[in-house]
Amino acid sequence: MSSMQSNSSANVTFVRPATFFIKGFSNVPHVKYYYMFLSLVYVVTVLGNSFIMCIMYLARRLHTAKYIAVFHLAFSDLCGSSALIPKVIDTFLFEHQVVSYDACLANMFFVYHFMNLQSLTLLVLAYDRLVAICFPLRYHAIVTKPAMFLIIGVIWSFSVTFFSVLVGLVNRLSFCRSNVIDSHFCDQGLIYKLACNDNSINILMGKISFGLLMCTPLILIIISYFCIALALLKIAHGADRIKAMKTCTSHLMLVAIGYLPLISNNIAALTTSIDPNTRIINNSLRQVIPSMLNPIIYTLKTEEVMQSIKEMYKRNKVYTTQERRIKCICKN
């Protein structure tokens, strides 16, 4: 272990490493192609989420409370991928696997913070659909722009505070055995395992993080859709029921893409012994693929977004045609 800072207190040596070593894959042939694939995923993620955010900003019909939450999901996806993928590429493709202690903690904070925002934003969108279908006459009075900005502000404040505490607790750990992290980024669970002093509080906070910020939103989303299903059963006309169900399909697809890999990974981890390389592939894909697919799903499966794109395309086409005519007239 390089460059250790230590002092002795009560016969216990407290050691904080100056750096961590991100190990990544072990003995995997042609692994650089996987990192190149992640680079492609990142490019698609940036283009897709930037595109949908621009559409929502430019199309006035999308300036509603619901699309404030959708815009926030796209922003969280973009920031989450930006916190993870460029660092992974730099670490492994360019062989910068030695990371400073502070940089590692910063990377941990931003990766988990934006993952949490993605999860909580899906819950906010479930709340939007719940009010729209169960209380349609009161929807515009309940789900307002100020209310949506307030909700987003609350989840940001909560997430920043929670993960600041979570990451700050790493500073109480002593790393006297190893500074090698067997993952593709500064994974909190694996860092806690490297500690040689009492890490029970860190483990507890990790469990609270998973239960409170990942499992609880999923449970609340399931409950909200149970209530939506009951409300749909009360709709007499089948056409109205199908129309109401269509407004939920894009959100349900996002929930499935975001949570099913998470659940399957954790079930596999609890029931079987997973090869470290398999675990890294599963975790990295779970973190980046939903962010890439979310804007594609919302663009293709949401009628309002598609209609806004078509209208903007037609306006741009008309403007271009008029501009060409003016140039031709000026030349003549």
Side-chain angles (χ1 to χ4, degrees):
M1 188 185 301
S2 61
S3 302
M4 297 294 187
Q5 299 171 353
S6 63
N7 55 35
S8 181
S9 177
N11 297 324
V12 176
T13 302
F14 183 86
V15 183
R16 176 179 296 172
T19 60
F20 284 107
F21 182 84
I22 311 297
K23 184 178 179 182
F25 291 102
S26 299
N27 302 319
V28 177
H30 309 297
V31 70
K32 289 190 176 181
Y33 290 113
Y34 179 70
Y35 298 124
M36 292 173 67
F37 165 74
L38 290 182
S39 302
L40 176 62
V41 169
Y42 181 62
V43 170
V44 175
T45 300
V46 170
L47 293 176
N49 284 288
S50 299
F51 174 75
I52 200 166
M53 285 192 290
C54 287
I55 293 297
M56 290 176 193
Y57 177 76
L58 296 173
R60 295 190 63 84
R61 67 184 294 169
L62 300 180
H63 292 184
T64 63
K66 173 187 174 182
Y67 286 101
I68 290 172
V70 176
F71 185 96
H72 183 257
L73 178 63
F75 177 76
S76 300
D77 287 336
L78 179 59
C79 292
S81 291
S82 297
L84 181 68
I85 298 180
K87 186 61 181 174
V88 169
I89 302 305
D90 179 63
T91 300
F92 298 107
L93 270 185
F94 299 102
E95 299 181 351
H96 296 155
Q97 291 172 264
V98 177
V99 184
S100 71
Y101 180 88
D102 291 334
C104 189
L105 296 194
N107 176 249
M108 182 196 303
F109 172 83
F110 286 111
V111 169
Y112 282 105
H113 168 61
F114 286 111
M115 280 176 58
N116 178 48
L117 289 184
Q118 292 163 10
S119 176
L120 293 179
T121 306
L122 289 176
L123 176 58
V124 173
L125 288 169
Y127 164 74
D128 172 84
R129 291 299 84 203
L130 176 68
V131 177
I133 294 175
C134 296
F135 309 100
L137 299 179
R138 298 181 59 196
Y139 174 76
H140 293 290
I142 297 173
V143 185
T144 61
K145 290 182 183 179
M148 190 59 71
F149 279 121
L150 177 62
I151 291 171
I152 291 173
V154 169
I155 66 176
W156 264 82
S157 300
F158 173 76
S159 183
V160 168
T161 303
F162 184 88
F163 285 105
S164 295
V165 173
L166 189 74
V167 173
L169 286 172
V170 175
N171 290 317
R172 62 179 296 277
L173 299 177
S174 179
F175 301 92
C176 56
R177 286 196 293 264
S178 174
N179 66 341
V180 178
I181 303 173
D182 192 12
S183 184
H184 59 295
F185 76 112
C186 292
D187 191 328
Q188 59 161 344
L190 296 178
I191 288 179
Y192 296 163
K193 292 179 181 178
L194 298 177
C196 54
N197 62 339
D198 182 23
N199 62 357
S200 56
I201 294 177
N202 304 83
I203 293 172
L204 177 62
M205 285 295 290
K207 290 179 179 178
I208 291 173
S209 172
F210 178 76
L212 181 64
L213 305 178
M214 291 297 171
C215 295
T216 302
L218 178 59
I219 292 169
L220 292 175
I221 290 171
I222 292 170
I223 292 172
S224 69
Y225 272 101
F226 178 76
C227 296
I228 288 171
L230 293 178
L232 289 175
L233 291 174
K234 296 178 182 178
I235 297 176
H237 300 288
D240 293 337
R241 188 181 302 161
I242 292 171
K243 185 178 179 181
M245 289 174 64
K246 281 184 177 180
T247 65
C248 299
T249 53
S250 56
H251 179 253
L252 283 171
M253 291 177 70
L254 300 187
V255 171
I257 291 170
Y259 281 103
L260 287 179
L262 177 68
I263 294 170
S264 60
N265 279 358
N266 282 276
I267 290 174
L270 292 172
T271 56
T272 60
S273 178
I274 302 179
D275 179 74
N277 292 332
T278 304
R279 173 177 51 78
I280 292 173
I281 291 176
N282 289 344
N283 286 339
S284 58
L285 291 178
R286 175 183 64 80
Q287 290 170 320
V288 302
I289 295 299
S291 297
M292 180 184 72
L293 295 180
N294 287 351
I296 297 172
I297 291 170
Y298 249 103
T299 301
L300 298 178
K301 298 294 292 183
T302 306
E303 187 176 341
E304 290 173 299
V305 176
M306 286 298 295
Q307 191 63 34
S308 297
I309 293 171
K310 290 175 184 177
E311 289 175 0
M312 291 178 66
Y313 174 74
K314 288 178 182 178
R315 284 202 300 268
N316 186 61
K317 194 173 182 180
V318 169
Y319 176 78
T320 304
T321 303
Q322 290 176 344
E323 197 175 49
R324 286 175 180 172
R325 287 176 181 174
I326 292 170
K327 287 182 180 179
C328 289
I329 292 170
C330 291
K331 285 180 180 180
N332 294 329

PDB file of all heavy atoms in Angstrom, residues 285-304:
ATOM      1  N   LEU A 285     -23.648  -2.744 -16.702  1.00  0.00           N
ATOM      2  CA  LEU A 285     -24.756  -2.670 -17.660  1.00  0.00           C
ATOM      3  C   LEU A 285     -26.025  -2.148 -16.991  1.00  0.00           C
ATOM      4  O   LEU A 285     -26.773  -1.360 -17.579  1.00  0.00           O
ATOM      5  CB  LEU A 285     -25.014  -4.035 -18.292  1.00  0.00           C
ATOM      6  CG  LEU A 285     -23.933  -4.555 -19.240  1.00  0.00           C
ATOM      7  CD1 LEU A 285     -24.284  -5.941 -19.751  1.00  0.00           C
ATOM      8  CD2 LEU A 285     -23.735  -3.601 -20.416  1.00  0.00           C
ATOM      9  N   ARG A 286     -26.274  -2.583 -15.751  1.00  0.00           N
ATOM     10  CA  ARG A 286     -27.455  -2.105 -15.020  1.00  0.00           C
ATOM     11  C   ARG A 286     -27.394  -0.605 -14.796  1.00  0.00           C
ATOM     12  O   ARG A 286     -28.422   0.080 -14.791  1.00  0.00           O
ATOM     13  CB  ARG A 286     -27.552  -2.829 -13.675  1.00  0.00           C
ATOM     14  CG  ARG A 286     -28.676  -2.330 -12.785  1.00  0.00           C
ATOM     15  CD  ARG A 286     -28.663  -3.028 -11.446  1.00  0.00           C
ATOM     16  NE  ARG A 286     -27.470  -2.751 -10.657  1.00  0.00           N
ATOM     17  CZ  ARG A 286     -27.287  -1.650  -9.942  1.00  0.00           C
ATOM     18  NH1 ARG A 286     -28.198  -0.698  -9.933  1.00  0.00           N
ATOM     19  NH2 ARG A 286     -26.175  -1.482  -9.231  1.00  0.00           N
ATOM     20  N   GLN A 287     -26.201  -0.076 -14.629  1.00  0.00           N
ATOM     21  CA  GLN A 287     -26.049   1.352 -14.357  1.00  0.00           C
ATOM     22  C   GLN A 287     -26.168   2.214 -15.605  1.00  0.00           C
ATOM     23  O   GLN A 287     -26.591   3.369 -15.516  1.00  0.00           O
ATOM     24  CB  GLN A 287     -24.690   1.611 -13.685  1.00  0.00           C
ATOM     25  CG  GLN A 287     -24.605   1.085 -12.257  1.00  0.00           C
ATOM     26  CD  GLN A 287     -23.186   1.132 -11.719  1.00  0.00           C
ATOM     27  OE1 GLN A 287     -22.228   0.849 -12.418  1.00  0.00           O
ATOM     28  NE2 GLN A 287     -23.039   1.483 -10.450  1.00  0.00           N
ATOM     29  N   VAL A 288     -25.796   1.685 -16.779  1.00  0.00           N
ATOM     30  CA  VAL A 288     -25.719   2.543 -17.966  1.00  0.00           C
ATOM     31  C   VAL A 288     -26.808   2.294 -19.010  1.00  0.00           C
ATOM     32  O   VAL A 288     -27.208   3.236 -19.705  1.00  0.00           O
ATOM     33  CB  VAL A 288     -24.327   2.414 -18.636  1.00  0.00           C
ATOM     34  CG1 VAL A 288     -23.223   2.786 -17.662  1.00  0.00           C
ATOM     35  CG2 VAL A 288     -24.079   1.013 -19.194  1.00  0.00           C
ATOM     36  N   ILE A 289     -27.296   1.055 -19.141  1.00  0.00           N
ATOM     37  CA  ILE A 289     -28.273   0.751 -20.195  1.00  0.00           C
ATOM     38  C   ILE A 289     -29.606   1.492 -19.988  1.00  0.00           C
ATOM     39  O   ILE A 289     -30.156   2.052 -20.953  1.00  0.00           O
ATOM     40  CB  ILE A 289     -28.502  -0.764 -20.323  1.00  0.00           C
ATOM     41  CG1 ILE A 289     -27.208  -1.451 -20.796  1.00  0.00           C
ATOM     42  CG2 ILE A 289     -29.639  -1.065 -21.292  1.00  0.00           C
ATOM     43  CD1 ILE A 289     -26.714  -0.999 -22.144  1.00  0.00           C
ATOM     44  N   PRO A 290     -30.186   1.528 -18.756  1.00  0.00           N
ATOM     45  CA  PRO A 290     -31.435   2.284 -18.586  1.00  0.00           C
ATOM     46  C   PRO A 290     -31.307   3.753 -18.994  1.00  0.00           C
ATOM     47  O   PRO A 290     -32.220   4.312 -19.610  1.00  0.00           O
ATOM     48  CB  PRO A 290     -31.728   2.148 -17.082  1.00  0.00           C
ATOM     49  CG  PRO A 290     -31.082   0.862 -16.693  1.00  0.00           C
ATOM     50  CD  PRO A 290     -29.826   0.807 -17.514  1.00  0.00           C
ATOM     51  N   SER A 291     -30.178   4.381 -18.673  1.00  0.00           N
ATOM     52  CA  SER A 291     -29.985   5.791 -19.037  1.00  0.00           C
ATOM     53  C   SER A 291     -29.960   5.982 -20.544  1.00  0.00           C
ATOM     54  O   SER A 291     -30.348   7.046 -21.049  1.00  0.00           O
ATOM     55  CB  SER A 291     -28.666   6.302 -18.432  1.00  0.00           C
ATOM     56  OG  SER A 291     -28.717   6.267 -17.019  1.00  0.00           O
ATOM     57  N   MET A 292     -29.498   4.974 -21.278  1.00  0.00           N
ATOM     58  CA  MET A 292     -29.480   5.053 -22.736  1.00  0.00           C
ATOM     59  C   MET A 292     -30.872   4.823 -23.318  1.00  0.00           C
ATOM     60  O   MET A 292     -31.281   5.494 -24.284  1.00  0.00           O
ATOM     61  CB  MET A 292     -28.506   4.013 -23.304  1.00  0.00           C
ATOM     62  CG  MET A 292     -28.421   4.019 -24.824  1.00  0.00           C
ATOM     63  SD  MET A 292     -27.366   2.719 -25.507  1.00  0.00           S
ATOM     64  CE  MET A 292     -28.381   1.261 -25.198  1.00  0.00           C
ATOM     65  N   LEU A 293     -31.640   3.897 -22.735  1.00  0.00           N
ATOM     66  CA  LEU A 293     -32.942   3.525 -23.295  1.00  0.00           C
ATOM     67  C   LEU A 293     -34.070   4.468 -22.900  1.00  0.00           C
ATOM     68  O   LEU A 293     -35.049   4.595 -23.643  1.00  0.00           O
ATOM     69  CB  LEU A 293     -33.297   2.092 -22.864  1.00  0.00           C
ATOM     70  CG  LEU A 293     -32.401   0.981 -23.396  1.00  0.00           C
ATOM     71  CD1 LEU A 293     -32.878  -0.368 -22.888  1.00  0.00           C
ATOM     72  CD2 LEU A 293     -32.371   0.985 -24.919  1.00  0.00           C
ATOM     73  N   ASN A 294     -33.963   5.127 -21.742  1.00  0.00           N
ATOM     74  CA  ASN A 294     -35.057   5.968 -21.260  1.00  0.00           C
ATOM     75  C   ASN A 294     -35.505   7.021 -22.279  1.00  0.00           C
ATOM     76  O   ASN A 294     -36.707   7.143 -22.555  1.00  0.00           O
ATOM     77  CB  ASN A 294     -34.671   6.643 -19.937  1.00  0.00           C
ATOM     78  CG  ASN A 294     -34.676   5.666 -18.776  1.00  0.00           C
ATOM     79  OD1 ASN A 294     -35.113   4.530 -18.899  1.00  0.00           O
ATOM     80  ND2 ASN A 294     -34.179   6.102 -17.632  1.00  0.00           N
ATOM     81  N   PRO A 295     -34.590   7.814 -22.861  1.00  0.00           N
ATOM     82  CA  PRO A 295     -35.057   8.823 -23.831  1.00  0.00           C
ATOM     83  C   PRO A 295     -35.643   8.202 -25.092  1.00  0.00           C
ATOM     84  O   PRO A 295     -36.574   8.762 -25.678  1.00  0.00           O
ATOM     85  CB  PRO A 295     -33.781   9.622 -24.154  1.00  0.00           C
ATOM     86  CG  PRO A 295     -32.653   8.724 -23.798  1.00  0.00           C
ATOM     87  CD  PRO A 295     -33.132   7.910 -22.633  1.00  0.00           C
ATOM     88  N   ILE A 296     -35.129   7.050 -25.511  1.00  0.00           N
ATOM     89  CA  ILE A 296     -35.658   6.375 -26.694  1.00  0.00           C
ATOM     90  C   ILE A 296     -37.089   5.932 -26.446  1.00  0.00           C
ATOM     91  O   ILE A 296     -37.986   6.127 -27.275  1.00  0.00           O
ATOM     92  CB  ILE A 296     -34.773   5.166 -27.072  1.00  0.00           C
ATOM     93  CG1 ILE A 296     -33.364   5.637 -27.438  1.00  0.00           C
ATOM     94  CG2 ILE A 296     -35.389   4.384 -28.226  1.00  0.00           C
ATOM     95  CD1 ILE A 296     -32.366   4.514 -27.631  1.00  0.00           C
ATOM     96  N   ILE A 297     -37.333   5.365 -25.266  1.00  0.00           N
ATOM     97  CA  ILE A 297     -38.677   4.894 -24.915  1.00  0.00           C
ATOM     98  C   ILE A 297     -39.649   6.064 -24.823  1.00  0.00           C
ATOM     99  O   ILE A 297     -40.761   6.014 -25.366  1.00  0.00           O
ATOM    100  CB  ILE A 297     -38.643   4.110 -23.590  1.00  0.00           C
ATOM    101  CG1 ILE A 297     -37.905   2.784 -23.780  1.00  0.00           C
ATOM    102  CG2 ILE A 297     -40.062   3.850 -23.066  1.00  0.00           C
ATOM    103  CD1 ILE A 297     -37.602   2.060 -22.495  1.00  0.00           C
ATOM    104  N   TYR A 298     -39.237   7.145 -24.157  1.00  0.00           N
ATOM    105  CA  TYR A 298     -40.134   8.288 -24.016  1.00  0.00           C
ATOM    106  C   TYR A 298     -40.394   8.966 -25.356  1.00  0.00           C
ATOM    107  O   TYR A 298     -41.475   9.503 -25.590  1.00  0.00           O
ATOM    108  CB  TYR A 298     -39.590   9.292 -22.997  1.00  0.00           C
ATOM    109  CG  TYR A 298     -40.447   9.301 -21.753  1.00  0.00           C
ATOM    110  CD1 TYR A 298     -40.036   8.662 -20.606  1.00  0.00           C
ATOM    111  CD2 TYR A 298     -41.687   9.916 -21.755  1.00  0.00           C
ATOM    112  CE1 TYR A 298     -40.837   8.631 -19.470  1.00  0.00           C
ATOM    113  CE2 TYR A 298     -42.497   9.899 -20.634  1.00  0.00           C
ATOM    114  CZ  TYR A 298     -42.063   9.259 -19.491  1.00  0.00           C
ATOM    115  OH  TYR A 298     -42.862   9.219 -18.393  1.00  0.00           O
ATOM    116  N   THR A 299     -39.431   8.932 -26.270  1.00  0.00           N
ATOM    117  CA  THR A 299     -39.631   9.540 -27.583  1.00  0.00           C
ATOM    118  C   THR A 299     -40.587   8.717 -28.427  1.00  0.00           C
ATOM    119  O   THR A 299     -41.498   9.253 -29.070  1.00  0.00           O
ATOM    120  CB  THR A 299     -38.280   9.679 -28.315  1.00  0.00           C
ATOM    121  OG1 THR A 299     -37.410  10.489 -27.529  1.00  0.00           O
ATOM    122  CG2 THR A 299     -38.466  10.330 -29.680  1.00  0.00           C
ATOM    123  N   LEU A 300     -40.405   7.401 -28.432  1.00  0.00           N
ATOM    124  CA  LEU A 300     -41.186   6.532 -29.307  1.00  0.00           C
ATOM    125  C   LEU A 300     -42.554   6.161 -28.732  1.00  0.00           C
ATOM    126  O   LEU A 300     -43.498   5.935 -29.486  1.00  0.00           O
ATOM    127  CB  LEU A 300     -40.393   5.245 -29.606  1.00  0.00           C
ATOM    128  CG  LEU A 300     -39.065   5.426 -30.348  1.00  0.00           C
ATOM    129  CD1 LEU A 300     -38.385   4.084 -30.535  1.00  0.00           C
ATOM    130  CD2 LEU A 300     -39.284   6.109 -31.696  1.00  0.00           C
ATOM    131  N   LYS A 301     -42.658   6.092 -27.399  1.00  0.00           N
ATOM    132  CA  LYS A 301     -43.888   5.594 -26.785  1.00  0.00           C
ATOM    133  C   LYS A 301     -44.808   6.686 -26.244  1.00  0.00           C
ATOM    134  O   LYS A 301     -45.907   6.399 -25.792  1.00  0.00           O
ATOM    135  CB  LYS A 301     -43.534   4.625 -25.642  1.00  0.00           C
ATOM    136  CG  LYS A 301     -42.776   3.385 -26.065  1.00  0.00           C
ATOM    137  CD  LYS A 301     -43.606   2.477 -26.954  1.00  0.00           C
ATOM    138  CE  LYS A 301     -44.755   1.857 -26.218  1.00  0.00           C
ATOM    139  NZ  LYS A 301     -45.530   0.921 -27.053  1.00  0.00           N
ATOM    140  N   THR A 302     -44.370   7.948 -26.286  1.00  0.00           N
ATOM    141  CA  THR A 302     -45.196   9.030 -25.760  1.00  0.00           C
ATOM    142  C   THR A 302     -45.698   9.879 -26.916  1.00  0.00           C
ATOM    143  O   THR A 302     -44.923  10.515 -27.632  1.00  0.00           O
ATOM    144  CB  THR A 302     -44.400   9.902 -24.767  1.00  0.00           C
ATOM    145  OG1 THR A 302     -43.835   9.051 -23.765  1.00  0.00           O
ATOM    146  CG2 THR A 302     -45.301  10.919 -24.102  1.00  0.00           C
ATOM    147  N   GLU A 303     -47.021   9.896 -27.102  1.00  0.00           N
ATOM    148  CA  GLU A 303     -47.630  10.568 -28.248  1.00  0.00           C
ATOM    149  C   GLU A 303     -47.358  12.067 -28.245  1.00  0.00           C
ATOM    150  O   GLU A 303     -47.107  12.663 -29.290  1.00  0.00           O
ATOM    151  CB  GLU A 303     -49.142  10.302 -28.233  1.00  0.00           C
ATOM    152  CG  GLU A 303     -49.854  10.807 -29.470  1.00  0.00           C
ATOM    153  CD  GLU A 303     -51.323  10.445 -29.473  1.00  0.00           C
ATOM    154  OE1 GLU A 303     -51.715   9.525 -28.724  1.00  0.00           O
ATOM    155  OE2 GLU A 303     -52.072  11.096 -30.221  1.00  0.00           O
ATOM    156  N   GLU A 304     -47.410  12.692 -27.063  1.00  0.00           N
ATOM    157  CA  GLU A 304     -47.207  14.141 -26.977  1.00  0.00           C
ATOM    158  C   GLU A 304     -45.804  14.533 -27.434  1.00  0.00           C
ATOM    159  O   GLU A 304     -45.625  15.542 -28.124  1.00  0.00           O
ATOM    160  CB  GLU A 304     -47.424  14.620 -25.538  1.00  0.00           C
ATOM    161  CG  GLU A 304     -48.856  14.569 -25.083  1.00  0.00           C
ATOM    162  CD  GLU A 304     -48.968  14.885 -23.602  1.00  0.00           C
ATOM    163  OE1 GLU A 304     -48.376  14.135 -22.791  1.00  0.00           O
ATOM    164  OE2 GLU A 304     -49.644  15.863 -23.257  1.00  0.00           O
TER     165      GLU A 304
END
